[in-house]
Amino acid sequence: MIAVIGGGIVGTLIARELNKYVEDVWLFEAKTNFGMGVTKSNSAILHGGYDDPPGSLRAQLCYKGNQLYTQLQKDLKFDLKRVGSHVVAIEDEETKYIYSLLKKAEKNGVKEIRIIEKLELLEMEKNINPKAKRSLFCEIAGIFDPWIVAIQAAKSVRVNGGRTLIKKRLVEIEKKNGKFLLKFQDKSEYFADLVINAAGLYADEIAKMFGDEVPEIFPVKGEYFLLSKDYQYVNSVIFPVPTGISKGCLVLPTVDGGYLIGPNANRVVSKNDTATTKNGLNEIREKGMKLVPNLNFRRHLVKTFAGLRPETDKKDFYINVGKSGAIHVAGIRSPGLTAAPAIAEYVVEYLIQEKIGLNLYKRENYISKIERTPHLVHIEREKWNEIIQQNPDAGEMVCHCNKVTKKEIIDAINQGARTLDDIKFMTRASFGECQGGFCTAKILKILAEYTDRDPREITQNEDGTWIVNAKVRI
Ligand SMILES: Cc1cc2nc3c(=O)[nH]c(=O)nc-3n(C[C@H](O)[C@H](O)[C@H](O)COP(=O)(O)OP(=O)(O)OC[C@H]3O[C@@H](n4cnc5c(N)ncnc54)[C@H](O)[C@@H]3O)c2cc1C
């Protein structure tokens, strides 16, 4: 049995890649669903791969990952919009920087990139700071929902005979008779022949359980504003000239039509500290308005949130076989989402087959295409009407902000959704302007009815995050 610890975008895609060769793949995730760690809270950009340090693992895997996403999208059926990205030079000295980025792009083998002069830039992006002089435009950059990739990749593992387990927090490892004995918080135990540690922020702590050394991981917080889709601010990803620590504070569309402003980059102590701060939000508001001066936070604010980068002193991915024989995939900071499919190939083709020397053969019966319930509002009206004729739940709107029907919520439950967050991230119900203010009670009721539970048992996400604690009429 091959075990993957951690069901973020990296772990799920590694499990999927392994499953192309081996049926007996087990994916263990501590949380209540896949993609709910670092994979959930970030800029969600498919980066172009032009700005990673040439020669680094990041550079090697980012551009390749970007290319692999074209097929991955067809196989796993998630929304991906290649809207392109601009690095905008506003001050004179910033022009020098974007020319140096162009040289870096050449070294990284990225061809789909060019300098755009002011007039063309203002035609493409009418709300951008009119003082902008030019930009570096990368046409292969895109936006997507990374947690959907993780959820769909986990599904593909199940479809192909592998096992995916949630609420499985690894707490101890023993080596017994040449195998790894994995011990989980819920007291369950499993033997594995090979283990891949893809535990995100906690990959260094898991490596220690194996007695292996990987660079220490420290959390670097990035805060964001999410603005509503009521006004079209930008069409593509707008970067400033980057700072030393990060790609800078950006303005970008989300795949479902909203806008993100952020992130900043501040090192924090706790790997759980995802609170937003007044100073942090002021900082990103100011920086965002330097790029797009007419951002209206008062009118269009939906919510604020923060994510934590799993950073190391080396600022590069650490992907290697430890002395124990386990594989550690650590320090997967940005552009980890983009690089993830290439990381998966690197682990399976290079580390497992070449470095460890395990001979693997592609399975003939492997199913690469995985179904996904379409978001009904995106299909043709006539087809939607036909579906309503067969199933009236397809005509009952539950989330009015994001136009999610009862049928889509029931489909998600049939796919394993059990918490409000599962429904939110699988269907986008309660993800819109009202943030669940109007639909949470309805979703709670559907969840209770279709999973045969009392509403008091339904949680937002982890155990203990109940919504109601007394008998209620919904
Ligand atoms: C602010 C910010 C912006 C970013 N923007 C971008 C971007 O635009 N584009 C891009 O390409 N990248 C971006 N990134 C980077 C990207 O988000 C990460 O590289 C990526 O999400 C890492 O995925 P992962 O699977 O390694 O980690 P995670 O998603 O954290 O997955 C690890 C999983 O392991 C589980 N786990 C931990 N401990 C245990 C245990 N003991 N037992 C079992 N399971 C365990 C966790 O619950 C978690 O689900 C950004 C990151 C941040 C924070």
Side-chain angles (χ1 to χ4, degrees), residues 4-12 28-31 33-47 62 69 144 146 168-171 184 198-203 206 209 220-224 239 247 250 252 263-264 306-310 317 329 331-340:
V4 179
I5 308 298
I9 196 164
V10 174
T12 53
F28 296 94
E29 166 54 44
K31 292 185 186 286
N33 205 343
F34 302 97
M36 295 296 120
V38 182
T39 299
K40 175 168 71 80
S41 307
N42 48 62
S43 308
I45 300 168
L46 187 71
H47 286 296
C62 183
Y69 262 90
F144 66 116
K168 289 283 177 193
R169 182 174 298 281
L170 185 69
V171 287
F184 293 87
L201 283 162
Y202 300 89
I206 301 277
M209 292 184 201
V220 175
K221 190 191 283 188
E223 294 164 271
Y224 293 89
F239 290 102
K247 294 182 202 307
L250 8 152
L252 70 143
N264 50 1
L308 299 173
R309 303 170 180 87
F317 303 154
V329 184
I332 310 299
R333 40 95 85 200
S334 187
L337 304 172
T338 313

XYZ file of all heavy atoms in Angstrom, residues 4-12 28-31 33-47 62 69 144 146 168-171 184 198-203 206 209 220-224 239 247 250 252 263-264 306-310 317 329 331-340, ligand 1:
596
model
N -0.509 8.512 1.122
C -0.207 9.936 0.965
C -0.817 10.643 2.170
O -2.014 10.480 2.449
C -0.798 10.499 -0.348
C -0.490 11.992 -0.475
C -0.258 9.739 -1.559
N -0.001 11.414 2.879
C -0.496 12.145 4.047
C -0.725 13.593 3.638
O 0.211 14.289 3.232
C 0.525 12.107 5.217
C 0.948 10.668 5.524
C -0.041 12.810 6.454
C -0.162 9.751 5.974
N -1.974 14.055 3.730
C -2.287 15.444 3.389
C -3.063 15.522 2.092
O -2.560 15.161 1.031
N -4.324 15.979 2.200
C -5.195 16.052 1.018
C -5.402 17.465 0.536
O -6.519 17.884 0.255
N -4.316 18.228 0.428
C -4.384 19.521 -0.258
C -4.229 19.269 -1.746
O -4.263 18.112 -2.207
N -4.029 20.338 -2.510
C -3.913 20.159 -3.964
C -2.708 19.286 -4.304
O -2.758 18.477 -5.244
C -3.848 21.533 -4.681
C -4.111 21.361 -6.168
C -2.523 22.252 -4.434
C -4.445 22.647 -6.882
N -1.646 19.390 -3.501
C -0.425 18.637 -3.800
C -0.627 17.149 -3.495
O -0.384 16.288 -4.352
C 0.773 19.228 -3.010
C 2.013 18.370 -3.189
C 1.049 20.665 -3.462
N -1.118 16.843 -2.288
C -1.307 15.439 -1.905
C -2.326 14.725 -2.783
O -2.121 13.577 -3.185
N -3.438 15.413 -3.098
C -4.473 14.744 -3.908
C -3.957 14.479 -5.325
O -4.233 13.429 -5.908
C -5.769 15.583 -3.996
O -5.443 16.891 -4.435
C -6.490 15.647 -2.660
N -4.763 10.168 3.156
C -5.232 10.468 4.517
C -5.242 11.976 4.734
O -4.199 12.629 4.598
C -4.297 9.834 5.550
C -4.272 8.327 5.494
C -3.308 7.664 4.734
C -5.201 7.576 6.192
C -3.280 6.276 4.681
C -5.177 6.182 6.145
C -4.214 5.531 5.387
N -6.398 12.536 5.092
C -6.523 13.976 5.313
C -7.083 14.243 6.715
O -8.072 13.632 7.116
C -7.430 14.595 4.234
C -7.918 16.002 4.519
C -6.813 17.012 4.841
O -5.779 17.017 4.154
O -6.992 17.775 5.810
N -6.461 15.189 7.426
C -6.883 15.473 8.806
C -8.224 16.206 8.872
O -9.000 16.004 9.800
C -5.806 16.311 9.495
N -8.503 17.050 7.886
C -9.718 17.875 7.960
C -10.942 17.114 7.443
O -10.844 15.937 7.123
C -9.512 19.167 7.162
C -8.473 20.100 7.789
C -8.399 21.396 7.018
C -7.282 22.287 7.516
N -7.594 22.927 8.811
N -12.629 17.683 4.674
C -12.718 17.560 3.213
C -11.335 17.821 2.626
O -10.419 18.252 3.337
C -13.745 18.552 2.640
C -14.315 18.078 1.296
O -13.749 17.200 0.637
N -15.428 18.657 0.886
N -11.207 17.603 1.333
C -9.921 17.808 0.664
C -9.795 19.267 0.223
O -10.801 19.922 -0.080
C -9.801 16.834 -0.517
C -9.923 15.421 -0.043
C -11.135 14.745 -0.117
C -8.852 14.804 0.572
C -11.264 13.461 0.393
C -8.969 13.519 1.091
C -10.183 12.847 0.997
N -8.568 19.765 0.217
C -8.327 21.133 -0.248
C -8.736 22.204 0.739
O -8.945 23.354 0.352
N -8.845 21.883 2.020
C -9.319 22.864 3.003
C -8.175 23.468 3.833
O -8.415 24.180 4.796
C -10.357 22.227 3.943
C -11.630 21.809 3.235
S -12.529 23.221 2.550
C -12.566 22.813 0.817
N -6.927 23.179 3.464
C -5.780 23.783 4.162
C -5.329 25.025 3.408
O -6.142 25.873 3.031
N -4.030 25.122 3.132
C -3.494 26.286 2.406
C -4.174 26.419 1.039
O -4.384 27.526 0.530
C -1.956 26.140 2.226
C -1.383 27.353 1.518
C -1.272 25.940 3.570
N -4.559 25.285 0.469
C -5.179 25.246 -0.864
C -6.464 26.075 -0.953
O -6.880 26.483 -2.027
C -5.455 23.759 -1.222
O -4.191 23.087 -1.249
C -6.161 23.581 -2.539
N -7.083 26.331 0.190
C -8.376 27.030 0.192
C -8.222 28.563 0.186
O -9.061 29.255 -0.388
C -9.151 26.586 1.436
C -10.468 27.277 1.679
C -11.262 26.561 2.754
C -10.688 26.717 4.138
N -10.987 27.971 4.812
N -7.183 29.095 0.824
C -7.115 30.550 1.044
C -5.851 31.139 0.433
O -4.799 31.166 1.076
C -7.134 30.846 2.547
O -8.232 30.215 3.142
N -5.971 31.595 -0.791
C -4.807 32.135 -1.511
C -5.309 32.946 -2.695
O -6.504 33.200 -2.808
C -3.907 30.980 -1.961
C -4.728 29.897 -2.627
O -5.344 30.151 -3.655
N -4.794 28.723 -2.032
N -4.409 33.324 -3.603
C -4.832 34.160 -4.740
C -5.465 33.341 -5.863
O -6.082 33.908 -6.767
C -3.639 34.936 -5.308
O -2.971 35.637 -4.303
N -5.258 32.026 -5.837
C -5.866 31.116 -6.825
C -5.484 31.477 -8.262
O -6.312 31.433 -9.167
C -7.388 31.075 -6.649
N -4.225 31.815 -8.430
C -3.740 32.177 -9.775
C -2.946 31.020 -10.361
O -2.128 30.402 -9.667
C -2.806 33.409 -9.702
C -3.545 34.606 -9.123
C -2.226 33.744 -11.077
C -2.627 35.747 -8.745
N -3.185 30.748 -11.618
C -2.322 29.837 -12.359
C -1.207 30.725 -12.901
O -1.419 31.502 -13.837
C -3.113 29.190 -13.502
C -2.363 28.094 -14.230
C -2.229 26.861 -13.354
C -3.078 27.731 -15.520
N -0.046 30.648 -12.252
C 1.034 31.569 -12.617
C 1.685 31.177 -13.944
O 1.666 30.009 -14.340
C 2.097 31.587 -11.516
C 1.659 32.331 -10.290
N 1.397 33.680 -10.309
C 1.425 31.915 -9.017
C 1.033 34.070 -9.093
N 1.029 33.020 -8.291
N 6.907 25.154 -12.091
C 5.774 26.074 -12.250
C 5.308 26.137 -13.709
O 4.126 25.934 -14.011
C 6.152 27.468 -11.743
S 4.768 28.618 -11.849
N -1.987 21.918 -16.710
C -3.360 22.257 -16.323
C -4.356 22.149 -17.476
O -5.543 21.933 -17.260
C -3.427 23.668 -15.716
C -3.407 23.622 -14.197
C -2.212 23.664 -13.506
C -4.581 23.501 -13.469
C -2.175 23.598 -12.120
C -4.560 23.434 -12.085
C -3.356 23.481 -11.418
O -3.343 23.403 -10.048
N -8.560 30.065 -11.109
C -9.352 28.844 -10.933
C -9.671 28.663 -9.457
O -9.238 29.462 -8.631
C -8.610 27.630 -11.513
C -7.327 27.255 -10.798
C -7.207 26.037 -10.150
C -6.235 28.118 -10.765
C -6.037 25.673 -9.489
C -5.055 27.772 -10.105
C -4.960 26.549 -9.473
N -8.806 26.303 -6.648
C -7.882 25.185 -6.386
C -8.482 24.058 -5.540
O -8.122 22.894 -5.704
C -6.711 25.835 -5.644
C -7.030 27.259 -5.457
C -8.288 27.594 -6.175
N -8.537 12.055 9.365
C -7.450 11.132 9.723
C -6.187 11.947 9.946
O -5.480 12.300 8.992
C -7.201 10.128 8.584
C -8.286 9.110 8.417
C -8.185 8.036 9.472
C -9.330 7.054 9.358
N -9.446 6.183 10.524
N -5.950 12.321 11.204
C -4.746 13.105 11.528
C -3.641 12.157 11.975
O -3.771 11.462 12.975
C -5.057 14.122 12.633
C -3.864 15.005 12.987
C -4.240 16.086 13.980
N -5.234 16.993 13.443
C -4.976 17.979 12.597
N -3.738 18.200 12.216
N -5.942 18.747 12.145
N -2.557 12.129 11.210
C -1.418 11.271 11.548
C -0.736 11.825 12.793
O -0.419 13.021 12.847
C -0.432 11.254 10.373
C 0.760 10.323 10.517
C 0.330 8.862 10.464
C 1.794 10.597 9.433
N -0.501 10.955 13.800
C 0.127 11.461 15.028
C 1.422 10.723 15.382
O 2.225 11.211 16.169
C -0.847 11.412 16.238
C -1.913 12.484 16.129
C -1.473 10.039 16.416
N -3.069 7.093 13.747
C -3.882 8.307 13.609
C -4.530 8.690 14.934
O -4.662 7.851 15.834
C -4.927 8.107 12.498
C -4.275 8.002 11.140
C -3.827 6.777 10.658
C -4.058 9.137 10.378
C -3.190 6.681 9.431
C -3.414 9.051 9.144
C -2.980 7.818 8.671
N 2.729 15.029 2.319
C 2.365 16.271 1.612
C 1.476 17.090 2.541
O 0.383 17.504 2.170
C 1.642 15.937 0.309
N 1.964 17.302 3.772
C 1.113 17.873 4.824
C 1.182 19.392 4.910
O 0.882 19.975 5.962
C 1.444 17.231 6.164
N 1.559 20.060 3.840
C 1.484 21.525 3.781
C 2.290 22.190 4.886
O 3.487 21.929 5.045
N 1.630 23.031 5.681
C 2.301 23.768 6.756
C 2.959 22.834 7.772
O 3.858 23.232 8.503
C 1.265 24.624 7.496
C 0.803 25.909 6.808
C -0.511 26.394 7.424
C 1.865 26.994 6.920
N 2.466 21.592 7.840
C 2.929 20.659 8.878
C 3.904 19.613 8.335
O 4.252 18.669 9.041
C 1.716 19.972 9.535
C 0.798 20.987 10.171
C -0.236 21.569 9.441
C 1.012 21.416 11.472
C -1.055 22.545 10.003
C 0.199 22.390 12.042
C -0.829 22.946 11.302
O -1.623 23.915 11.864
N 4.354 19.762 7.101
C 5.210 18.737 6.488
C 6.522 18.576 7.262
O 7.076 17.470 7.326
C 5.487 19.094 5.030
N 5.715 16.360 10.306
C 5.512 14.956 9.900
C 6.880 14.325 9.587
O 7.145 13.184 9.959
C 4.592 14.876 8.656
C 3.226 15.506 8.949
C 4.461 13.440 8.150
C 2.211 14.670 9.636
N 8.509 13.006 12.545
C 7.966 11.725 13.031
C 8.690 10.552 12.371
O 8.782 9.474 12.926
C 6.462 11.610 12.706
C 5.563 12.564 13.447
S 3.833 12.163 13.009
C 3.009 13.678 13.424
N 3.696 32.411 6.730
C 3.720 33.829 6.325
C 2.312 34.186 5.860
O 1.807 33.648 4.869
C 4.760 34.082 5.212
C 4.688 35.529 4.728
C 6.166 33.767 5.713
N 1.699 35.079 6.637
C 0.284 35.379 6.398
C 0.071 36.326 5.214
O 0.829 37.283 5.025
C -0.310 36.026 7.657
C -1.827 36.160 7.599
C -2.368 37.028 8.711
C -2.396 36.301 10.025
N -3.109 37.092 11.064
N -0.969 36.045 4.442
C -1.373 36.945 3.363
C -2.843 37.276 3.549
O -3.677 36.374 3.639
N -3.173 38.582 3.654
C -4.569 38.980 3.883
C -5.210 39.485 2.588
O -4.509 39.994 1.704
C -4.608 40.085 4.945
C -4.143 39.593 6.306
C -3.818 40.728 7.258
O -2.655 41.180 7.265
O -4.719 41.160 7.979
N -6.529 39.357 2.530
C -7.260 39.721 1.305
C -8.576 40.433 1.611
O -9.205 40.181 2.643
C -7.673 38.466 0.531
C -6.561 37.672 -0.068
C -5.954 36.660 0.663
C -6.140 37.909 -1.366
C -4.936 35.900 0.106
C -5.132 37.152 -1.934
C -4.530 36.150 -1.191
O -3.532 35.404 -1.746
N -0.608 42.594 -11.320
C 0.456 42.580 -10.311
C 1.146 43.932 -10.292
O 1.351 44.535 -11.349
C 1.573 41.600 -10.696
C 1.219 40.150 -10.620
C 0.921 39.442 -11.778
C 1.238 39.474 -9.420
C 0.637 38.089 -11.725
C 0.955 38.120 -9.368
C 0.652 37.430 -10.518
N 4.983 38.333 -4.384
C 4.715 38.916 -5.703
C 4.018 40.266 -5.567
O 3.620 40.859 -6.555
C 3.854 37.949 -6.515
C 4.573 36.644 -6.855
C 3.683 35.759 -7.696
C 4.028 34.291 -7.663
N 5.398 33.909 -7.955
N -1.967 42.373 -5.195
C -2.552 42.399 -6.537
C -4.051 42.684 -6.543
O -4.707 42.631 -5.506
C -2.331 41.065 -7.264
C -1.750 39.885 -6.520
C -2.225 38.601 -7.126
C -0.255 39.975 -6.614
N -7.284 41.125 -8.776
C -7.572 40.106 -9.790
C -9.019 39.649 -9.721
O -9.643 39.734 -8.664
C -6.646 38.892 -9.612
C -6.863 38.012 -8.388
C -6.636 36.561 -8.745
C -5.894 38.400 -7.290
N -2.325 39.676 -1.715
C -2.118 39.617 -0.273
C -0.900 40.441 0.147
O -0.069 40.789 -0.692
C -1.796 38.133 -0.078
C -1.026 37.765 -1.327
C -1.577 38.623 -2.432
N -0.808 40.725 1.457
C 0.453 41.220 2.001
C 1.256 40.001 2.449
O 0.867 38.862 2.149
C 0.185 42.198 3.161
C -0.780 41.602 4.175
O -1.222 40.469 4.020
N -1.109 42.357 5.204
N -7.676 35.495 5.322
C -6.211 35.388 5.244
C -5.803 33.944 5.016
O -6.516 33.014 5.405
C -5.580 35.905 6.537
N -4.666 33.760 4.368
C -4.091 32.424 4.168
C -2.651 32.431 4.658
O -2.057 33.498 4.844
N -2.097 31.235 4.875
C -0.730 31.130 5.404
C 0.173 30.403 4.416
O -0.103 29.257 4.040
C -0.746 30.361 6.731
C -1.555 30.991 7.865
C -1.632 30.042 9.049
C -0.952 32.329 8.290
N 1.258 31.072 4.007
C 2.215 30.423 3.101
C 3.134 29.504 3.905
O 3.694 29.937 4.913
C 3.091 31.472 2.404
C 2.324 32.517 1.615
C 3.295 33.620 1.205
N 2.657 34.683 0.446
C 2.052 35.739 0.988
N 1.964 35.860 2.297
N 1.522 36.673 0.226
N 3.337 28.257 3.448
C 4.305 27.382 4.132
C 5.713 27.738 3.640
O 6.208 27.167 2.684
C 3.912 25.972 3.681
C 2.777 26.141 2.717
C 2.686 27.569 2.328
N 10.841 24.932 -3.108
C 10.205 23.684 -2.703
C 11.297 22.720 -2.230
O 12.408 22.717 -2.776
C 9.484 23.018 -3.888
C 8.439 23.862 -4.565
C 8.116 23.640 -5.904
C 7.749 24.857 -3.886
C 7.140 24.385 -6.553
C 6.763 25.608 -4.521
C 6.473 25.371 -5.858
N 7.368 16.220 0.732
C 7.042 17.285 -0.221
C 6.743 18.500 0.654
O 5.632 18.667 1.142
C 5.830 16.874 -1.080
C 5.544 17.919 -2.147
C 6.078 15.518 -1.728
N 7.590 22.755 2.113
C 7.896 24.134 1.702
C 7.182 24.502 0.412
O 7.683 25.282 -0.399
N 5.977 23.957 0.222
C 5.266 24.216 -1.041
C 4.510 25.533 -0.920
O 3.306 25.582 -0.718
C 4.353 23.035 -1.437
C 5.130 21.709 -1.387
C 3.768 23.259 -2.832
C 6.322 21.624 -2.332
N 5.281 26.598 -1.046
C 4.729 27.960 -1.027
C 4.346 28.330 -2.459
O 4.391 27.478 -3.353
C 5.776 28.911 -0.412
C 7.204 28.608 -0.846
C 7.656 29.406 -1.984
N 8.158 30.680 -1.503
C 8.287 31.763 -2.259
N 7.978 31.701 -3.555
N 8.758 32.886 -1.781
N 3.997 29.567 -2.704
C 3.639 29.969 -4.055
C 4.844 29.746 -4.967
O 5.972 29.993 -4.548
C 3.247 31.449 -4.064
O 2.749 31.797 -5.318
N 4.698 29.232 -6.148
C 3.491 28.920 -6.910
C 3.066 27.447 -6.806
O 2.940 26.752 -7.821
C 3.925 29.244 -8.334
C 5.385 28.808 -8.356
C 5.916 29.017 -6.974
N 2.795 27.001 -5.580
C 2.489 25.586 -5.358
C 1.235 25.097 -6.060
O 1.173 23.947 -6.498
N 0.219 25.970 -6.168
C -1.013 25.536 -6.850
C -0.700 25.229 -8.305
O -1.136 24.233 -8.869
C -2.074 26.642 -6.814
C -2.502 27.201 -5.464
C -3.396 28.412 -5.672
C -3.224 26.134 -4.663
N 0.060 26.143 -8.904
C 0.380 26.012 -10.328
C 1.276 24.804 -10.564
O 1.082 24.036 -11.512
C 1.106 27.293 -10.806
O 0.382 28.420 -10.338
C 1.239 27.326 -12.311
N 2.252 24.647 -9.667
C 3.236 23.581 -9.864
C 2.682 22.205 -9.506
O 3.264 21.181 -9.903
C 4.470 23.876 -9.010
N 1.552 22.149 -8.771
C 1.100 20.880 -8.174
C 1.068 19.680 -9.143
O 1.578 18.606 -8.798
C -0.259 21.078 -7.502
C -1.575 34.024 0.578
C -1.218 32.957 -0.408
C -1.324 33.182 -1.776
C -0.976 32.192 -2.683
N -1.225 32.374 -4.000
C -0.916 31.403 -4.889
C -1.235 31.562 -6.257
O -1.901 32.515 -6.645
N -0.832 30.612 -7.130
C -0.122 29.522 -6.731
O 0.263 28.730 -7.591
N 0.142 29.304 -5.421
C -0.249 30.209 -4.495
N -0.032 30.012 -3.164
C 0.618 28.785 -2.726
C -0.373 27.632 -2.634
O -1.564 28.022 -1.995
C 0.279 26.485 -1.877
O 1.536 26.228 -2.441
C -0.560 25.206 -1.967
O -1.886 25.436 -1.593
C 0.042 24.146 -1.069
O -0.783 23.013 -1.144
P -0.510 21.767 -0.217
O -1.360 20.679 -0.702
O 0.971 21.541 -0.137
O -0.926 22.277 1.238
P -2.355 22.205 1.971
O -3.431 22.660 1.098
O -2.199 22.884 3.276
O -2.560 20.654 2.181
C -1.925 19.941 3.218
C -2.977 19.098 3.895
O -2.346 18.272 4.863
C -3.256 18.100 5.917
N -2.509 17.674 7.100
C -1.668 18.405 7.858
N -1.205 17.669 8.877
C -1.756 16.436 8.747
C -1.667 15.236 9.508
N -0.925 15.154 10.620
N -2.376 14.153 9.102
C -3.158 14.208 7.983
N -3.280 15.331 7.235
C -2.584 16.429 7.614
C -3.881 19.474 6.073
O -5.128 19.407 6.750
C -4.006 19.939 4.641
O -5.286 19.716 4.096
C -0.435 30.966 -2.220
C -0.357 30.730 -0.842
C -0.796 31.696 0.052
C -0.839 31.380 1.498
